Structures are given as structure tokens and as C-alpha cells.
Amino acid sequence: MNLINEEVTHKVFGEGNIVDHDESFITVDFNKDVKKFVYPDAFGKFITLNDRNVAETLKKVLLKRKMEEEELERKREEEKERQAFEQRRREKLKNPRISESSQIVFWLDEEEQQSVFNDWQVSTGKIQSGKNKGQLNRVARLRPNSAGLLTARESDQPETRRRILGLYMVNEMFSGNLSEDGMVPSHAEFRIELTDQEAEKMLFWNYYVNKNYPHRTTWNSGKFRYFDNVWTAQILKDIIALKTDEEQIKEAKNFLEYFCKMNVLDMENIPVANGALKQQ
């Protein structure tokens, strides 16, 4: 905005004319007494424009400038937070040890069954009792090597009829103990959705076994539980055998290859599933 030759009034120096200005300063001639002021800070504090129309226009310009600066500062803060989060994530992932049970299996309610294959993320839910009741469940074991197994059963069905609806690798930037919203997001590529017919053949308890009670098929309560890495590999291997579409078979094989690489598993020596249902 060109302010040169505009008349102004200063609280101390009185009337003057702007003789020069740039992005940082304005220069005012108060009857041969030339003063320099910080722009735009001086306006509204010490100096006012005599022309009301120009003053109103300047007000709008400065308001826009302020909003742009605030937006820039907000983006800077977001970037600082992102970099800090990434640094914390790298530090958390420095430990090369992989838990043998770093996968997660979810029990999806009806609403989630409708939405999960659009959103490709699942909530871990909230703690239901105790001193931390109402707080988000933390899934500290989850890392980029983890997969989320999606299961459900009808309310009138026995637990042995729990079906596997699909699964996904967690987002490669995800770390469970750094999650703040309780959501477990998916990797952009490694996702599998089963048809209803396929899900009927993929029963959860063919893979899962309580090692202390190998014949027990009881979920009890809770939104999720951790799941063995080898069991997930068994599921992927059986999905490959179940599929008939060549493109879907290829996608499942790529998923299994990636999963085994991330979990340091021998893809060629995955044992046959021996879950609770297999032992009855």
C-alpha cells in the first residue's frame, strides 16, 4: 500500500507527511524534523492517518497481514510438532527387538463393520473400569511391523463362529505408545477385505489359542487383544489359498512378503495353523 505523501498525526510530534516507507519502516517529515518508525506497529499506537478512507484501507491491509502471519506461525508450530513427533518415533523404534505378539485383533461392532473398509482405521476404545476409566486404551506393542486383524460374530452365534473380515498393516509412521487419538490407522497399500463367503471360511479360533488353556474359545470382554506374529502369517497364507482372483492373490502375496520381512519371519516355513478349534 502506497502511503507516501499521506498526512498523519503523531501524539508527540504533531502533524506530518509520510515521505518514505517499506515493509519495515515509515519515514515522516514533521516540518523538517524527520523521524523513522517501525511499520506497521506505529499505526494505532503513536500515529494516525488523517484521511479516514486511507486509514480504513490500511486497517484492512494490516488485518490481512496479521492473519497471514498467524497462519504462517501456526504452520511453523505444526511443523515443529511433526518433527518432534518424528524424532520421538525414531527413538522408540531404535530397539530392533520384535515382540512375538505385536499384532492386534479387533472385535468390530455393527457400525464399525460398515465403516472400517472405507476409513481403514479402528478405535482402540476406552478403559471400562478402574482408576483410568474413560481414558483411551493404549496399544504400546504396535509398531510399523504390526497388523490389525478385523473380526466379528453375530450376537446369537457362539464364540467359535467368530469370523475374520479382513486385515491391514498399520501405517508405517504409527507407534502405539505415541498415539493420542486412540485410532489405529492402516498402511496405504497393505489391506485385505474378505467377502462374506470368504469370511465364513476364515474362523478366528482356527488360529488363536490361549496357551494356558488351549481348548478354550472365550473372548470375554474388551475391544481388542494382542495376537501372535506367526498366526497372522498363517492367516495371510490361508487367504492366498482361498482367493481365486489373480490380482487379489498377488496383493495377498505381496502383503505376506511385506509382513514376513517386517517381522523377520521365514515366508517359506510358516507352520500350519493349530488354533483352539483345531485342537478340539
Side-chain angles (χ1 to χ4, degrees):
M1 185 177 180
N2 186 8
L3 297 175
I4 294 177
N5 295 325
E6 290 294 334
E7 295 181 353
V8 299
T9 300
H10 191 281
K11 289 183 176 181
V12 176
F13 303 113
E15 302 293 323
N17 292 313
I18 298 175
V19 294
D20 190 23
H21 84 93
D22 56 27
E23 288 296 312
S24 302
F25 298 96
I26 61 168
T27 305
V28 182
D29 183 355
F30 296 100
N31 193 20
K32 306 304 181 181
D33 187 10
V34 178
K35 302 290 184 181
K36 202 170 187 179
F37 303 94
V38 175
Y39 174 83
D41 298 15
F43 287 101
K45 294 181 179 179
F46 314 110
I47 298 175
T48 57
L49 284 158
N50 293 350
D51 188 317
R52 290 186 178 181
N53 291 331
V54 176
E56 188 62 30
T57 300
L58 178 62
K59 182 179 179 181
K60 292 178 180 177
V61 170
L62 296 183
L63 179 61
K64 181 180 178 182
R65 177 171 169 171
K66 181 181 179 182
M67 293 174 65
E68 290 173 347
E69 289 175 347
E70 289 176 348
E71 177 65 13
L72 182 60
E73 182 61 25
R74 183 186 65 81
K75 289 181 178 179
R76 285 173 180 156
E77 288 299 319
E78 287 181 351
E79 179 60 18
K80 285 172 59 178
E81 290 178 5
R82 187 196 67 78
Q83 291 179 1
F85 175 86
E86 178 61 17
Q87 179 63 29
R88 294 196 304 272
R89 188 186 72 85
R90 286 196 294 266
E91 290 174 357
K92 292 289 184 182
L93 296 178
K94 279 181 181 178
N95 188 347
R97 292 189 309 148
I98 296 176
S99 167
E100 66 177 14
S101 301
S102 58
Q103 317 307 315
I104 191 169
V105 51
F106 292 103
W107 182 348
L108 301 182
D109 59 31
E110 291 185 11
E111 183 177 346
E112 287 174 318
Q113 291 177 50
Q114 299 297 320
S115 64
V116 67
F117 296 113
N118 292 320
D119 301 339
W120 284 103
Q121 60 178 352
V122 182
S123 168
T124 58
K126 295 183 178 181
I127 299 172
Q128 299 299 311
S129 61
K131 65 178 182 179
N132 295 322
K133 182 178 180 180
Q135 295 184 18
L136 293 172
N137 277 309
R138 297 289 180 181
V139 283
R141 291 190 200 176
L142 297 196
R143 295 288 189 277
N145 68 294
S146 302
L149 189 65
L150 310 172
T151 74
R153 67 169 173 81
E154 303 301 328
S155 58
D156 59 350
Q157 288 182 328
E159 180 57 35
T160 53
R161 297 304 302 170
R162 179 175 296 279
R163 310 176 315 283
I164 297 172
L165 308 182
L167 70 163
Y168 63 81
M169 291 299 297
V170 304
N171 186 284
E172 64 271 34
M173 299 290 287
F174 182 80
S175 179
N177 50 10
L178 295 179
S179 177
E180 297 180 351
D181 61 1
M183 302 301 294
V184 181
S186 77
H187 190 286
E189 180 180 354
F190 300 108
R191 307 166 170 174
I192 292 177
E193 177 183 2
L194 299 181
T195 66
D196 291 342
Q197 293 76 20
E198 290 169 341
E200 290 294 335
K201 299 176 182 178
M202 293 294 298
L203 297 180
F204 171 73
W205 292 97
N206 280 333
Y207 306 92
Y208 188 94
V209 60
N210 183 323
K211 293 170 184 178
N212 293 323
Y213 306 97
H215 301 288
R216 183 178 294 178
T217 55
T218 306
W219 182 286
N220 294 327
S221 61
K223 170 75 176 178
F224 67 89
R225 56 180 59 187
Y226 291 112
F227 197 68
D228 279 16
N229 305 350
V230 171
W231 299 342
T232 306
Q234 292 169 345
I235 290 169
L236 284 165
K237 188 174 180 180
D238 286 352
I239 287 175
I240 293 170
L242 183 65
K243 292 287 187 180
T244 56
D245 181 88
E246 289 299 322
E247 186 61 31
Q248 291 182 1
I249 292 173
K250 180 180 177 181
E251 290 174 356
K253 285 182 176 179
N254 290 340
F255 192 142
L256 177 59
E257 182 178 354
Y258 178 81
F259 179 84
C260 289
K261 178 180 178 181
M262 294 295 288
N263 287 278
V264 197
L265 295 176
D266 184 353
M267 185 172 168
E268 302 303 322
N269 290 287
I270 300 169
V272 176
N274 190 32
L277 281 179
K278 301 277 189 178
Q279 299 186 33
Q280 292 181 359

